[in-house]
Amino acid sequence: MDMMYMPDAQKAMIDIMEADPSKLVHRNSFNVTAMSFGSETIYEVIKKRYPNFEMVYEPEPIKQAIADSWPDNMDDSCARNEWGWNPQYDLEKMTDDMILNLKKKLL
């Protein structure tokens, strides 16, 4: 499922507002995405940083049904072509940033 870290979402909003309007074929409505991953993938990325990390989760049927109804991926090629959308965070960088910020908050 497509995901985006909040700093990239904020960057996308600013980038579209600052984009050259003469290049915007689709005006101001674009799909933007950054990465795609599932629960097991994020678990593996965290586990690389914290070998003792354990994750237990049980999907809630109603919420899972909603998530299952969403598209698996979005085409953000118009945003990339028309105003240069390019996310700054991938899963690895997002995980590192989240851990850094959680440490600041929790210590």
Side-chain angles (χ1 to χ4, degrees):
M1 177 179 292
D2 281 353
M3 303 282 182
M4 183 181 292
Y5 192 34
M6 190 56 70
D8 270 339
Q10 293 167 329
K11 177 184 179 301
M13 289 186 286
I14 293 167
D15 286 355
I16 186 64
M17 288 188 282
E18 294 178 344
D20 179 353
S22 68
K23 295 182 180 179
L24 302 181
V25 176
H26 295 89
R27 297 194 48 173
N28 60 357
S29 180
F30 293 88
N31 288 331
V32 289
T33 188
M35 62 189 104
S36 183
F37 60 87
S39 303
E40 287 299 317
T41 306
I42 189 91
Y43 168 75
E44 291 168 9
V45 171
I46 296 169
K47 188 95 171 157
K48 284 193 296 189
R49 288 146 178 84
Y50 294 93
N52 294 329
F53 177 73
E54 294 296 326
M55 181 174 78
V56 177
Y57 66 95
E58 294 181 31
E60 295 181 32
I62 293 173
K63 290 178 182 174
Q64 186 62 50
I66 293 168
D68 289 343
S69 73
W70 296 338
D72 286 335
N73 57 45
M74 289 191 293
D75 179 5
D76 67 355
S77 60
C78 292
R80 290 175 185 265
N81 293 332
E82 292 177 33
W83 50 275
W85 165 245
N86 189 23
Q88 294 179 334
Y89 289 87
D90 61 10
L91 181 55
E92 299 281 340
K93 188 173 178 183
M94 178 192 75
T95 302
D96 290 337
D97 191 66
M98 286 182 144
I99 289 169
L100 176 68
N101 284 293
L102 284 169
K103 281 181 180 180
K104 288 178 189 176
K105 186 175 183 173
L106 298 174
L107 296 179

